[in-house]
Amino acid sequence: MNRRDAVARVALIMGGTLIGGDYLLTGCGPASTDKTADNGKGKTQANGKLADVLDAKQAAYLNEVGETILPTTATPGAKSANVGGFMAVMVRDCYTPADQQAFVKGLDQLEEASKKQNGKGFLESTPEQRTALLRALDTEQKQYSKTKSIEAPNHYFRMMKELTLLGYFTSEVGATKALRYLPVPGKYDGNVPYKKGDRAWATT
């Protein structure tokens, strides 16, 4: 699966366009450390983006969020693809400053939502409680996305869900374990028999 295919598939699943998709297709630029300045709210670059958006602890937290979205079953889950580390890079390099701020603030909002719904933090919750919480947040983000203005930042959980799907299915684990992968494809065959339950191909 190439980058453009992955962006298109995730956008289809989410029912819209992929947040930061334009940046991803044109090549996200890495943070430039020599143009940073500390404004008291975190280091920012000349373009206004945060230089270091997420730390290792937050990336580990996002791995747990991703694992709840795509849990380990007969195939490895999102945590095995380190989707938290993927999110840290994508949010830093491909998101607008407004979406970066919304994403970071969303970590606290998710934790607060967990305490309100389950009486404990997300990491302390059972797998069933985590799933119920994320389903509620998914409903919330869908409603928000329908009515938000163009200028308003995107919902933090929509970004987390999108990046989980994109990071997983473009990872080695996702492409070779969850999808079918043929490293050296042969001739083109447009009439391959399909059996119900067959996994999608990782390459097209």
Side-chain angles (χ1 to χ4, degrees):
M1 184 186 298
N2 61 37
R3 182 184 294 173
R4 188 175 296 277
D5 288 335
V7 169
R9 290 189 189 188
V10 172
L12 181 63
I13 293 171
M14 297 299 293
T17 57
L18 184 73
I19 299 165
D22 291 343
Y23 286 102
L24 180 63
L25 291 175
T26 56
C28 303
S32 176
T33 55
D34 60 352
K35 295 181 180 178
T36 60
D38 195 335
N39 64 0
K41 298 179 181 179
K43 290 185 176 182
T44 59
Q45 301 177 92
N47 61 9
K49 291 186 176 183
L50 293 173
D52 296 309
V53 180
L54 302 169
D55 58 28
K57 185 176 180 181
Q58 290 170 316
Y61 185 95
L62 288 167
N63 266 330
E64 298 298 332
V65 174
E67 183 70 18
T68 304
I69 296 171
L70 291 175
T72 298
T73 55
T75 56
K79 189 175 178 180
S80 64
N82 188 27
V83 294
F86 176 80
M87 289 189 213
V89 174
M90 289 292 293
V91 172
R92 182 193 66 195
D93 291 349
C94 297
Y95 276 6
T96 64
D99 283 336
Q100 285 183 335
Q101 298 286 356
F103 191 98
V104 174
K105 185 179 178 183
L107 290 168
D108 291 334
Q109 291 175 289
L110 192 154
E111 190 67 8
E112 290 170 7
S114 179
K115 291 177 180 176
K116 182 178 180 181
Q117 181 165 314
N118 300 322
K120 48 191 167 185
F122 183 77
L123 298 183
E124 289 73 40
S125 299
T126 66
E128 292 76 16
Q129 289 173 324
R130 291 183 183 188
T131 299
L133 173 65
L134 297 195
R135 283 179 175 168
L137 292 177
D138 196 36
T139 300
E140 178 184 301
Q141 70 83 12
K142 287 177 181 175
Q143 187 60 37
Y144 174 85
S145 298
K146 286 181 181 176
T147 58
K148 89 173 191 66
S149 65
I150 296 176
E151 298 78 17
N154 289 292
H155 193 285
Y156 68 93
F157 185 69
R158 180 183 179 91
M159 294 188 275
M160 291 177 186
K161 185 177 178 181
E162 281 188 353
L163 292 180
T164 295
L165 297 174
L166 184 63
Y168 181 72
F169 288 111
T170 55
S171 71
E172 180 178 354
V173 167
T176 62
K177 304 297 183 184
L179 300 175
R180 290 187 288 178
Y181 178 70
L182 190 58
V184 184
K187 67 177 183 180
Y188 172 76
D189 186 350
N191 192 28
V192 177
Y194 172 76
K195 292 182 298 184
K196 188 176 181 180
D198 279 352
R199 292 174 291 157
W201 286 98
T203 54
T204 56

